Amino acid sequence: MKHPSSRKFFAYWDAKRGDARAPDRSEIEPGAVRELLGDIFVLNYDNDAGYPFRVAGTRVCALLGRDLKDTSFSALFTADSRREIEDIVSYVAEEMLAAIAGITATSDDGTTAHLELLLLPFNNRAHAPISLTGVLAPFEGDLGTIRDFKVTSWRYLHRPQKLVPRALRKLAIARGFMVYEGLR
């Protein structure tokens, strides 16, 4: 993650989830991330509606020049990037893995704007709509309104695997020589 807003919100989200794959939506306190609220949004996981915004921060709305409530998130992207972002959103919501993406957009004066998109899942609860949150933060200041988003890069953020004490003991005993059991 390159943008400070993404790093701060991910650290807060990661602390809230503890050992779970994702925190519950009710565990995220807006007051704890007050300085980031302008860059934060929440999406409804509804593929048919294009993953509409449930809520979007003031800076996100200002970047797009309008209130984003109930508007399609995937419609912000160009036709060639739309399927890719829909796949990323689906994977984040269904597999409960965080994702980070580099985004380019076109500003009103025709210049290219560079943004970072962080997508974070909420824990899925029975009989509750699935939603996810994230940060959309520009690297340049004073862009005006932007359009035609394109995904330039992305990756999923996996939790580092911890070695349990038993595995550590095995490694200490092996001292560089390992036998893997298998079929013939």
Side-chain angles (χ1 to χ4, degrees), residues 10 13 17 20-22 87-100 118-122 124 132-133 154-161:
F10 180 80
W13 176 88
R17 75 175 168 166
R21 292 190 69 169
D87 288 344
I88 295 168
V89 170
S90 294
Y91 199 78
V92 168
E94 293 173 9
E95 299 298 324
M96 288 198 288
L97 282 175
I100 190 83
L118 173 67
L119 292 171
L120 303 170
F122 288 124
N124 298 336
L132 55 146
T133 187
W154 58 270
R155 67 182 172 97
Y156 297 112
L157 305 173
H158 297 275
R159 179 174 274 182
Q161 298 295 321

Side-chain angles (χ1 to χ4, degrees), residues 69-96:
K69 184 169 176 56
D70 296 327
T71 61
S72 170
F73 175 72
S74 59
L76 300 175
F77 291 81
T78 60
D80 56 329
S81 285
R82 193 165 297 140
R83 183 71 199 149
E84 188 172 25
I85 196 64
E86 288 173 349
D87 288 344
I88 295 168
V89 170
S90 294
Y91 199 78
V92 168
E94 293 173 9
E95 299 298 324
M96 288 198 288

